[in-house]
């Protein structure tokens, strides 16, 4: 029996351990990193990292295509990994395990290799409202290609698929049913067994997204009797860029290849065409992610025994963390959980009354706490719940109660500071609104004196307070900045001298601060000057680009593109 030790488990992860060690060396009680974004990707244990390096150092070679020893050794490890996945998910045959780049590609393979070839106008595809975009967009594409219709399965107040409604959604017209085993936002284990039974009763094919499930409990695809099951290695302590498409052999054999190239063929001729390879190679065109596959096998060796432990101590500890964090958040008056009840896995989603999600997430980041904010690739779910986005804390068993306590304390302090600042701003409102817009030299001088992200973040937030608010009537589709994750708007005025002046606003304080910085560079400039200005050099000089997340960085670029579009040369 494998006895789960939270302390020993945590020590297996070099990124986390290195931060823990730095605390010991500094004799510091304050964590330098708290990683609560595990639903996006998990950290990697040492044996997975070492395994990938070992492949490159000792037997790097292509698989299946050569007779030399290195290739034989690589091929053996590569195919052994496939066998491990077969056992991990209980597939009937190793031929039912297809390597892909991840769950997203796996879904696209099913959609384009099968659905596109059998759907006709009027056929229906049933999808749950809480799906990740990866399990929505491919179906939207194929619906447009074939004339099929998408039907949406609702959720109940607790965030589960509403089984009382599936009879109204899944009918004789339904040809495919696509749903997540667990929502990446809600953390609820959906009753997919009931969904699969209903789908089978009308002859529909089931595609289950198991991305959030496989790291939390054992999955047996034969017991589920689903037609397809997809997941990604990087959410179960494995490497990025590798995933699995499980499919029943009868479906895979009937499907045309998704991509053409090497490995997926038997013969190629200009006169007689091409004959395709047998399963599973028919769907694996080109040189695969060999190192990723071999390291993925190591993550299964690492995780599998924990999931099959009869004492379930791994799962019990995770649920203990979930309950503790949920109850601590529940005691904060401003916290609003987006659905009722404690989640089934360590994914807790909430909003805060009177506070923008991105402001909170970035403030926590200055304390070394990594959580996710936004729509979490689930925009239809956000619309269904009538919210713009939310905060998501996602836990793993290498997290601790101490980390949760620190997170809660920091969150409370941020909310308290915001309350005090809001009170002070009401007193000084007239002064703030009369404050002049900063010039570019002032901005550069200001940030030249800052050291570290926490100081820069504080200055950005302070700058945002000096940005006059746009009238609500000016916030429309014409002024909306497309591509900025937070809602933001901008207006332009053009003087007789050919100079442009911009006014802007956002619902997020951090974006308002970034707007002040951007407008300092573009206000009172000609169209030519605006188009020639290098925003990347500017932000590099301010020391900001390396601290902005890709979504936030893209938001800044979206602001700049909107300004350039307004400034016609």
């Amino acid at each position: 029996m494998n006895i789960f030790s939270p302390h020993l488990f945590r020590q297996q992860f070099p990124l986390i351990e290195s931060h823990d060690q730095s605390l010991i060396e500094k004799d510091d009680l304050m964590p330098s990193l708290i990683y609560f974004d595990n639903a996006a990707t998990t950290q990697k244990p040492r044996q997975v990292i070492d395994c990938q390096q070992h492949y490159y150092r000792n037997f790097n070679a292509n698989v299946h295509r050569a007779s030399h020893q290195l290739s034989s050794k690589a091929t053996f490890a590569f195919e052994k990994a496939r066998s491990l996945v077969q056992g991990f998910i209980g597939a009937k045959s190793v031929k039912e395990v297809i390597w892909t780049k991840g769950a997203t590609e796996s879904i696209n393979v099913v959609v384009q290799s099968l659905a596109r070839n059998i759907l006709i106008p009027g056929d229906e595809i049933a999808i749950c409202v809480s799906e990740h975009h990866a399990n929505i967009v491919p179906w939207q594409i194929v619906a447009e290609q074939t004339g099929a219709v998408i039907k949406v399965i609702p959720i109940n107040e607790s965030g589960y698929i509403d089984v009382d409604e599936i009879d109204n959604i899944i009918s004789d017209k339904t040809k495919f049913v696509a749903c997540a085993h667990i929502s990446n936002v809600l953390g609820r284990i959906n009753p997919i067994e009931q969904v699969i039974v209903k789908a089978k009763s009308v002859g529909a094919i089931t595609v289950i997204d198991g991305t959030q499930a496989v790291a939390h409990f054992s999955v047996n695809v034969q017991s589920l009797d689903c037609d397809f099951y997809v997941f990604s290695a990087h959410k179960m302590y494995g490497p990025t860029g590798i995933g699995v498409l499980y499919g029943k052999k009868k479906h895979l054999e009937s499907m045309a290849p998704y991509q053409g190239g090497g490995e997926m063929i038997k013969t190629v001729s200009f006169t007689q065409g091409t004959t395709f390879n047998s399963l599973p190679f028919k769907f694996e065109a080109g040189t695969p992610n060999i190192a990723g596959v071999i390291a993925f096998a190591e993550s299964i060796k690492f995780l599998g025994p924990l999931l099959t432990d009869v004492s379930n101590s791994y799962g019990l500890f995770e649920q203990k963390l979930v309950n503790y964090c949920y109850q601590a958040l529940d005691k904060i008056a401003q916290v609003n959980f987006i659905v009722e009840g404690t989640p089934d896995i360590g994914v807790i989603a909430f909003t805060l009354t009177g506070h923008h999600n991105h402001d909170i997430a970035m403030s926590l980041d200055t304390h070394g706490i990594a959580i996710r904010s936004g729509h979490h690739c689930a925009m239809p779910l956000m619309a269904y719940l009538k919210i713009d986005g939310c905060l998501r804390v996602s836990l793993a068993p290498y997290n601790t109660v101490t980390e949760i306590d620190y997170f809660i304390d920091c969150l409370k302090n941020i909310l308290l500071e915001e309350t005090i600042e809001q009170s002070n701003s009401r007193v000084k409102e007239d002064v703030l609104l009369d404050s002049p817009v900063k010039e570019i030299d002032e901005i550069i001088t200001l940030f030249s004196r800052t050291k570290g992200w926490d100081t820069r973040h504080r200055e950005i937030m302070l700058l945002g307070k000096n940005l006059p608010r746009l009238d609500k009537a000016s916030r429309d589709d014409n002024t909306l900045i497309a591509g900025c994750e937070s809602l933001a708007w901008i207006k332009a005025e053009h003087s007789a001298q050919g100079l442009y002046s911009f006014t802007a606003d956002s619902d997020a304080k951090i974006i308002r601060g970034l707007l002040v910085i951007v407008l300092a560079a573009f206000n009172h400039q000609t169209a030519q000057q605006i188009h020639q200005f290098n925003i990347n050099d500017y932000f590099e000089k301010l020391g900001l680009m390396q601290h902005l997340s890709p979504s936030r960085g893209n938001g800044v670029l979206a602001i700049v593109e909107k300004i350039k579009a307004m400034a016609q040369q």
Side-chain angles (χ1 to χ4, degrees):
M1 182 176 71
N2 297 284
I3 300 175
F4 177 72
S5 167
H7 177 67
L8 293 178
F9 185 77
R10 184 178 175 88
Q11 288 183 328
Q12 303 307 306
F13 296 84
L15 188 147
I16 294 173
E17 187 187 30
S18 65
H19 285 275
D20 288 349
Q21 187 62 37
S22 69
L23 295 183
I24 296 172
E25 292 170 356
K26 293 189 300 182
D27 194 24
D28 194 345
L29 298 177
M30 188 174 297
S32 57
L33 170 69
I34 294 179
Y35 186 75
F36 284 172
D37 195 19
N38 295 286
T41 193
T42 53
Q43 296 303 326
K44 318 306 172 194
R46 186 174 292 102
Q47 68 188 70
V48 170
I49 298 169
D50 291 347
C51 176
Q52 191 156 357
Q53 292 183 340
H54 179 75
Y55 161 75
Y56 282 125
R57 289 177 182 274
N58 295 280
F59 57 102
N60 174 45
N62 216 324
V63 292
H64 301 140
R65 306 178 193 179
S67 57
H68 56 76
Q69 292 183 19
L70 277 183
S71 178
S72 297
K73 191 172 184 179
T75 300
F76 178 80
F78 184 82
E79 290 304 324
K80 185 179 179 181
R82 200 188 306 268
S83 296
L84 280 172
V85 171
Q86 177 198 355
F88 183 69
I89 60 173
K92 189 175 182 179
S93 168
V94 72
K95 294 182 178 181
E96 297 176 324
V97 177
I98 311 297
W99 299 125
T100 64
K101 290 184 296 185
T104 298
E105 185 181 41
S106 297
I107 294 168
N108 277 277
V109 171
V110 176
V111 168
Q112 291 300 317
S113 292
L114 181 61
R116 186 176 182 180
N117 295 324
I118 65 175
L119 288 171
I120 60 175
D123 284 346
E124 294 180 355
I125 304 161
I127 303 174
C128 185
V129 71
S130 57
E131 294 305 304
H132 189 282
H133 293 165
N135 207 19
I136 297 175
V137 178
W139 297 106
Q140 289 178 324
I141 291 172
V142 80
E144 187 173 329
Q145 291 169 337
T146 62
V149 177
I150 291 177
K151 296 290 186 178
V152 180
I153 305 171
I155 56 175
N156 60 26
E157 291 182 349
S158 298
Y160 298 98
I161 287 177
D162 192 342
V163 292
D164 294 333
E165 288 293 323
I166 60 174
D167 286 341
N168 299 324
I169 303 296
I170 300 174
S171 69
D172 291 340
K173 293 183 179 181
T174 307
K175 296 299 181 283
F176 287 88
V177 177
C179 69
H181 205 153
I182 303 177
S183 161
N184 71 303
V185 181
L186 305 174
R188 269 57 174 174
I189 303 174
N190 280 316
I192 60 168
E193 294 86 351
Q194 293 173 259
V195 175
I196 292 168
V197 168
K198 176 61 181 178
K200 287 173 67 69
S201 73
V202 299
I205 294 170
T206 50
V207 182
I208 308 301
D209 178 1
T211 306
Q212 295 295 333
V214 289
H216 300 281
F217 51 79
S218 292
V219 171
N220 188 294
V221 292
Q222 289 190 76
S223 297
L224 290 174
D225 201 21
C226 57
D227 295 292
F228 296 95
Y229 197 94
V230 308
F231 56 100
S232 299
H234 73 98
K235 294 183 191 290
M236 48 179 286
Y237 311 119
T240 58
I242 188 68
V244 169
L245 166 62
Y246 157 79
K248 286 184 176 179
K249 189 177 177 183
K250 64 177 182 179
H251 293 308
L252 293 173
E253 286 181 335
S254 71
M255 292 161 56
Y258 178 51
Q259 296 177 334
E263 186 63 25
M264 49 74 67
I265 55 89
K266 279 187 177 179
T267 63
V268 178
S269 168
F270 284 122
T271 58
Q272 297 180 346
T274 296
T275 57
F276 300 121
N277 208 338
S278 58
L279 292 176
F281 312 114
K282 179 171 72 169
F283 295 101
E284 296 176 358
T287 298
N289 182 359
I290 304 168
V293 167
I294 294 171
F296 185 14
E298 202 65 30
S299 73
I300 291 174
K301 294 177 188 177
F302 174 79
L303 175 63
L306 298 172
L307 299 181
T308 56
D309 175 16
V310 293
S311 71
N312 194 28
S313 50
Y314 171 87
L316 290 173
F317 179 74
E318 181 184 26
Q319 197 57 46
K320 173 186 172 183
L321 291 176
V322 176
N323 294 340
Y324 187 84
C325 188
Y326 183 88
Q327 291 165 13
L329 284 167
D330 195 31
K331 293 175 183 176
I332 300 175
Q334 296 96 322
V335 167
N336 307 292
F337 297 109
I338 66 172
V339 291
E340 297 177 358
T342 308
D344 299 321
I345 66 167
V347 175
I348 305 172
F350 60 97
T351 61
L352 289 160
T353 302
H355 300 274
H356 196 280
N357 303 314
H358 297 315
D359 291 335
I360 296 297
M362 294 197 76
S363 292
L364 287 169
D365 184 47
T366 65
H367 296 278
I369 302 170
I371 73 168
R372 186 60 63 97
S373 68
H375 52 67
H376 314 290
C377 292
M379 293 177 75
L381 174 62
M382 300 297 123
Y384 182 83
L385 297 173
K386 296 180 173 60
I387 56 178
D388 294 328
C390 62
L391 295 162
R392 184 185 70 186
V393 171
S394 50
L395 308 170
Y398 45 60
N399 293 129
T400 67
V401 168
T402 300
E403 288 182 324
I404 294 171
D405 287 339
Y406 179 68
F407 156 65
I408 294 295
D409 287 343
C410 288
L411 181 58
K412 288 178 178 177
N413 288 335
I414 290 167
L415 295 176
L416 180 61
E417 290 170 4
E418 288 286 321
T419 301
I420 294 171
E421 288 176 2
Q422 287 172 8
S423 177
N424 291 339
S425 69
R426 282 191 289 270
V427 175
K428 301 178 181 179
E429 185 174 354
D430 292 338
V431 176
L432 288 174
L433 291 179
D434 288 341
S435 299
V437 176
K438 297 288 184 182
E439 300 293 337
I440 189 169
D441 290 341
E442 294 179 85
I443 295 291
I444 293 172
T445 300
L446 175 65
F447 280 88
S448 68
R449 297 195 296 261
T450 60
K451 303 295 181 184
W453 170 235
D454 55 342
T455 308
R456 292 187 176 103
H457 174 265
R458 191 177 304 114
E459 292 296 347
I460 294 171
M461 298 294 278
L462 289 172
L463 286 173
K465 294 178 181 179
N466 286 338
L467 186 69
R469 307 305 303 267
L470 275 180
D471 186 271
K472 288 186 178 180
S474 298
R475 302 180 186 184
D476 55 30
D477 290 341
N478 292 326
T479 59
L480 184 67
I481 302 172
C484 190
E485 191 171 356
S486 305
L487 291 175
W489 306 265
I490 190 165
K491 288 176 62 179
E493 293 182 1
H494 186 218
S495 72
Q497 292 76 32
L499 301 179
Y500 282 86
S501 295
F502 301 94
T503 52
D505 198 4
S506 174
D507 56 351
K509 294 175 184 176
I510 188 71
I511 291 294
R512 291 204 293 274
L514 291 171
L515 281 167
V516 171
I517 295 170
V518 171
L519 295 186
F522 292 112
N523 265 332
H524 314 304
Q525 302 293 311
T526 65
Q528 183 179 8
Q529 289 171 323
I530 288 170
H531 283 272
Q532 289 179 346
F533 187 80
N534 191 320
I535 193 70
N536 288 324
D537 286 350
Y538 177 42
F539 268 72
E540 191 70 36
K541 186 178 293 185
L542 300 179
L544 292 177
M545 284 308 292
Q546 67 268 34
H547 296 295
L548 298 176
S549 66
S551 60
R552 186 71 64 217
N554 290 337
V556 171
L557 295 178
I559 294 168
V560 174
E561 290 304 313
K562 181 77 170 181
I563 289 173
K564 289 182 176 180
M566 289 176 161
Q568 298 298 325
Q569 289 185 326

